[in-house]
């Protein structure tokens, strides 16, 4: 296995070169880090020494100024604040000297310790001078002349300068050491890199000379197959791994040529089946969406079932044609079906436009609801506007037919249970007392009138003008209190020709934070008189 040996040798050589470069860089970084640390320490000590010198000179200047200005013996004692300020400044200098001691060693530590001792004596002399000033004139002058001035001269002109000179020498030595290390590390790193480069080039040349011919032959064979020449054969007869690969490649190309035609036929058949399956899936999806609300249909597709839900706020709309049974007796079957298809198609379009879900038709009755399956706070108002358009659609169509039909509409808002029932021809439906009550509201309505329950009226009274009526219903023991819609509130219909009117849009948006989905065209009038005419149409 010649190629494997070459590759193993190349890998080991690369690892060795990598380790060599890593070791060189690590040693260089370690040495430079040590030199940098020494330089930083020396620089920090120099900065502290400079600060100590400056602060000591500042206090001593203040002491000298007090001694020069007030030598008449009649000076007043210094304020306590000034004495405390001097003590704080002196304490700060002591802290700086303590920090200097922590980062010092050798001769620097010895000189810093001596400076600490001298500064302690000088600080005691400063305190004695400040406390005696203006209190004991002789003692203050004695302290200044015998202690403060000699000690400050020693500190400022001997101790600190000597320490600064030592630190300067240490900084220069650290810089020189760092420069030497940098010079050597750069050259060692450059040498290691050069050796690694030469070794890598030699290894690459050896490997290339051994395997380049075989790789070129394999490359040309792969390119020929890629270009469609499945009959190509690689003429490589070496006894190494590349020769074995060439033999395997030739066997594979022969098998590939045989199966290529079979694969093309299978792909064509698969594409045809996939198209048929997608068409069937789209038909199924369309039918399901036509039967169920979108979110319910999606749940049914993904889970295979729909969990029943309790919905506490749904507006139910029932409609029923007045006198339909007598009219149906005089109509042919096809005329009857076409008439109902025309009416209910118009109702479907209206319900969809106002976001209502059609639930079912029973004979000549039509049932839809708003606020399901997703919560929608505007559904009571939307349901009333849809009912207005339903009444309008019936009156317009009845005028063009020999049978003049009228319609009753009942609307109620309440809680329901929603779900899917059945396995064959299943349907999305709702149940509960609210459904029964909505049916009673519808049966208590009047021809071409819209009757509202008390719950619905409370939700829409800020939009519609209604009249209260009491109706008796044989299905319940007590009378029903209903509200018949007369039209929009006059304040919501302005004199402009905007559809829908601007006052109505403002209130709708204020209540529900959205724009109305649609608006009954018979109420999009620009004059108040026309509004009264439309209101009379609904009232009559």
């Amino acid at each position: 296995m010649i190629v494997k040996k070459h590759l193993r040798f190349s890998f080991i050589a690369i690892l060795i070169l990598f380790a060599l470069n890593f070791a060189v860089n690590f040693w260089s970084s370690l040495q430079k880090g040590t030199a940098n640390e020494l330089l930083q320490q020396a620089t920090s000590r120099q900065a502290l020494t400079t600060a100590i010198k400056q602060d000591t000179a500042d206090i001593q200047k203040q002491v000298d100024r007090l001694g020069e200005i007030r030598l008449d013996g009649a000076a007043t004692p210094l304020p306590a604040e000034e004495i405390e300020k001097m003590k704080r400044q002196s304490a700060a200098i002591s802290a700086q000297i303590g920090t200097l001691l922590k980062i010092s060693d050798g001769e620097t530590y010895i000189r810093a310790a001596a400076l600490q001792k001298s500064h302690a004596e000088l600080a005691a002399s400063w305190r004695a001078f400040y406390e005696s000033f203006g209190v004991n004139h002789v003692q203050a002058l004695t302290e200044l002349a015998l202690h403060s001035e000699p000690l400050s001269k020693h500190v400022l002109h001997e101790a600190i300068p000597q320490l600064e000179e030592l630190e300067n020498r240490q900084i220069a030595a650290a810089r020189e050491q760092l420069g030497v290390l940098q010079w050597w590390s750069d050259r060692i790193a450059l040498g290691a890199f050069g050796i690694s480069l030469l070794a890598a080039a030699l290894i690459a040349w050896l490997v290339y000379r051994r395997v380049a011919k075989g790789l070129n032959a394999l490359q040309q064979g792969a390119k020929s197959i890629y270009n469609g020449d499945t009959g190509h054969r690689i003429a490589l007869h070496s006894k190494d791994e590349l020769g074995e690969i060439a033999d395997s490649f030739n066997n594979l190309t022969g098998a590939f040529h045989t199966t290529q035609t079979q694969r093309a036929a299978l792909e064509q058949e698969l594409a045809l089946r996939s198209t048929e399956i997608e068409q069937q899936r789209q038909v199924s999806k369309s039918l399901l969406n036509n039967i169920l609300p979108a979110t319910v249909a999606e749940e049914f597709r993904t889970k295979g079932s729909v969990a029943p839900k309790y919905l506490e706020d749904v507006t139910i709309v029932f409609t029923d044609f007045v006198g339909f049974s007598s009219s149906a007796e005089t109509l042919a079957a096809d005329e009857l079906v076409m008439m109902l298809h025309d009416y209910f198609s118009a109702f479907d379009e209206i319900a969809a436009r106002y976001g209502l879900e059609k639930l079912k038709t029973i004979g000549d009755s039509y049932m839809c609801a708003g606020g399901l399956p997703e919560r929608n706070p505007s559904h009571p108002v939307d349901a009333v506007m849809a009912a207005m358009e339903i009444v309008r659609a019936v009156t317009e169509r009845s005028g063009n037919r020999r049978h003049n039909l009228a319609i009753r509409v009942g609307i109620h808002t309440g809680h329901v249970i929603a779900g899917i029932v059945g396995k064959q021809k299943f349907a999305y439906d709702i149940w509960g007392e609210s459904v029964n009550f909505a049916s009673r509201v519808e049966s208590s309505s009047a021809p071409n009138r819209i009757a509202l329950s008390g719950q619905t009226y409370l939700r829409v009274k800020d939009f519609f003008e209604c009249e209260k009526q009491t109706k008796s219903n044989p299905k319940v023991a007590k009378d029903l209190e209903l509200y018949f819609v007369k039209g929009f509130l006059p304040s919501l219909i302005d004199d402009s020709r905007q559809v829908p009117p601007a006052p109505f849009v403002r209130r709708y948006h204020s209540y529900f934070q959205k724009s109305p989905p649609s608006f009954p065209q018979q109420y999009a009038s620009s004059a108040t008189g026309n509004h009264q005419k439309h209101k009379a149409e609904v009232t009559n």
Side-chain angles (χ1 to χ4, degrees):
M1 297 300 177
I2 301 174
V3 175
K4 286 185 177 180
K5 291 181 179 179
H6 279 79
L7 293 176
R8 189 182 301 115
F9 170 76
S10 301
F11 180 73
I12 294 173
I14 290 172
L15 286 179
I16 294 174
L17 293 175
F18 175 79
L20 176 63
N21 280 276
F22 178 79
V24 170
N25 288 328
F26 178 77
W27 175 83
S28 176
S29 298
L30 186 64
Q31 295 299 319
K32 286 190 287 187
T34 302
N36 271 321
E37 184 177 357
L38 293 175
L39 180 59
Q40 290 176 359
Q41 289 180 354
T43 304
S44 299
R45 290 194 297 269
Q46 186 184 52
L48 279 172
T49 303
T50 302
I52 293 168
K53 180 179 180 180
Q54 182 63 44
D55 295 343
T56 302
D58 290 343
I59 298 176
Q60 186 59 39
K61 287 179 182 178
Q62 182 65 21
V63 172
D64 293 340
R65 187 164 52 252
L66 290 174
E68 292 174 358
I69 295 175
R70 301 176 180 177
L71 296 175
D72 55 358
T76 59
L78 293 173
E81 294 81 359
E82 190 169 349
I83 296 175
E84 286 301 320
K85 179 180 178 182
M86 183 276 299
K87 289 180 179 180
R88 288 194 301 271
Q89 292 174 335
S90 178
I93 296 173
S94 298
Q96 291 173 334
I97 296 175
T99 303
L100 180 61
L101 280 171
K102 291 179 181 179
I103 61 175
S104 299
D105 55 5
E107 185 179 356
T108 306
Y109 182 87
I110 296 173
R111 292 186 180 277
L115 176 62
Q116 185 182 42
K117 180 179 179 182
S118 300
H119 175 266
E121 296 175 359
L122 179 59
S125 176
W126 284 340
R127 287 194 295 272
F129 174 76
Y130 268 70
E131 291 171 354
S132 301
F133 191 87
V135 177
N136 189 333
H137 183 66
V138 175
Q139 184 177 352
L141 292 178
T142 301
E143 188 66 35
L144 177 64
L146 296 181
H147 296 94
S148 179
E149 288 184 358
L151 286 171
S152 65
K153 288 181 180 179
H154 171 71
V155 170
L156 294 174
H157 300 292
E158 295 180 13
I160 292 179
Q162 291 174 0
L163 186 59
E164 287 179 332
E165 182 181 357
L166 177 60
E167 290 168 349
N168 288 333
R169 291 198 304 270
Q170 291 176 344
I171 290 174
R175 286 176 177 171
E176 183 179 358
Q177 182 181 2
L178 182 61
V180 172
L181 286 173
Q182 183 69 41
W183 188 89
W184 277 107
S185 63
D186 289 345
R187 278 149 182 78
I188 292 174
L190 184 61
F193 176 77
I195 294 172
S196 300
L197 186 63
L198 290 175
L202 178 61
I203 292 170
W205 181 77
L206 292 174
V207 173
Y208 174 79
R209 188 182 64 173
R210 185 67 184 179
V211 302
K213 180 181 178 181
L215 291 177
N216 288 333
L218 291 174
Q219 182 182 13
Q220 293 299 324
K223 185 181 296 185
S224 298
I225 294 297
Y226 178 78
N227 293 329
D229 184 9
T230 56
H232 180 78
R233 296 295 180 267
I234 299 176
L236 184 62
H237 306 291
S238 60
K239 301 300 182 180
D240 56 11
E241 295 90 342
L242 294 178
E244 294 177 359
I245 294 174
D247 293 339
S248 300
F249 185 86
N250 292 332
N251 294 332
L252 286 175
T253 53
F256 178 76
H257 182 72
T258 303
T259 59
Q260 190 174 23
T261 305
Q262 298 176 353
R263 187 190 66 179
L266 290 174
E267 287 179 350
Q268 185 176 4
E269 175 121 6
L270 180 61
L272 180 61
R273 294 289 182 266
S274 298
T275 302
E276 293 176 354
I277 292 172
E278 180 62 22
Q279 290 174 350
Q280 293 298 325
R281 191 182 71 83
Q282 292 298 330
V283 171
S284 175
K285 182 178 179 181
S286 176
L287 290 174
L288 195 60
N289 287 337
N290 195 38
I291 296 172
L292 303 176
T295 56
V296 176
E298 183 62 25
E299 181 179 356
F300 187 81
R301 278 194 299 270
T302 55
K303 299 181 179 179
S305 62
V306 177
K309 294 182 181 179
Y310 173 81
L311 304 172
E312 75 276 5
D313 187 33
V314 173
T315 297
I316 307 160
V317 180
F318 268 105
T319 73
D320 188 29
F321 286 104
V322 179
F324 178 78
S325 299
S326 59
S327 298
E329 293 176 356
T330 63
L331 289 173
D334 57 346
E335 291 180 339
L336 178 64
V337 173
M338 290 300 296
M339 181 178 67
L340 285 178
H341 175 73
D342 182 35
Y343 281 119
F344 288 162
S345 296
F347 296 175
D348 289 344
E349 187 276 329
I350 293 170
R353 186 150 36 88
Y354 284 94
L356 307 182
E357 285 291 341
K358 176 187 177 181
L359 297 175
K360 57 186 173 181
T361 60
I362 305 174
D364 61 324
S365 297
Y366 185 90
M367 179 183 177
C368 60
L372 81 169
E374 302 297 331
R375 172 75 171 142
N376 175 19
S378 67
H379 58 81
V381 176
D382 297 338
V384 174
M385 290 194 292
M388 289 178 171
E389 292 209 33
I390 287 174
V391 172
R392 181 70 172 184
V394 172
T395 57
E396 288 178 349
R397 283 165 174 75
S398 296
N400 298 326
R401 300 180 188 272
R402 55 192 177 93
H403 294 278
N404 189 13
L405 294 180
I407 193 168
R408 290 192 304 265
V409 182
I411 303 177
H412 172 62
T413 303
H415 58 272
V416 298
I417 301 295
I420 292 179
V421 293
K423 294 184 178 179
Q424 301 293 331
K425 298 181 181 180
F426 56 85
Y428 183 74
D429 206 349
I430 59 176
W431 303 271
E433 180 58 29
S434 296
V435 179
N436 300 330
F437 193 80
S439 178
R440 289 197 288 271
V441 172
E442 178 273 318
S443 62
S444 301
S445 184
N448 292 337
R449 298 297 302 275
I450 302 169
L452 311 178
S453 67
Q455 291 89 327
T456 304
Y457 169 73
L458 293 176
R459 299 284 291 275
V460 303
K461 62 184 179 62
D462 292 343
F463 291 87
F464 304 99
E465 185 179 1
C466 303
E467 59 178 347
K468 182 179 180 182
Q469 292 188 12
T470 302
K471 293 280 187 176
S472 60
N473 193 306
K475 295 183 181 181
V476 294
K478 59 181 181 179
D479 294 339
L480 293 177
E481 290 187 355
L482 304 180
Y483 295 84
F484 283 84
V485 178
K486 299 176 66 177
F488 287 94
L489 293 175
S491 59
L492 300 182
I493 307 297
D494 60 8
D495 293 336
S496 69
R497 295 189 177 275
Q498 179 178 336
V499 180
F504 174 82
V505 174
R506 285 195 296 270
R507 180 163 295 182
Y508 191 97
H509 191 275
S510 174
Y511 279 39
F512 309 122
Q513 307 302 311
K514 64 177 184 177
S515 300
S518 188
F519 191 78
Q521 294 300 315
Q522 65 267 32
Y523 289 91
S525 177
S526 61
T528 304
N530 287 337
H531 167 64
Q532 296 295 337
K533 176 183 176 181
H534 293 312
K535 183 172 74 174
E537 291 178 0
V538 175
T539 304
N540 294 331

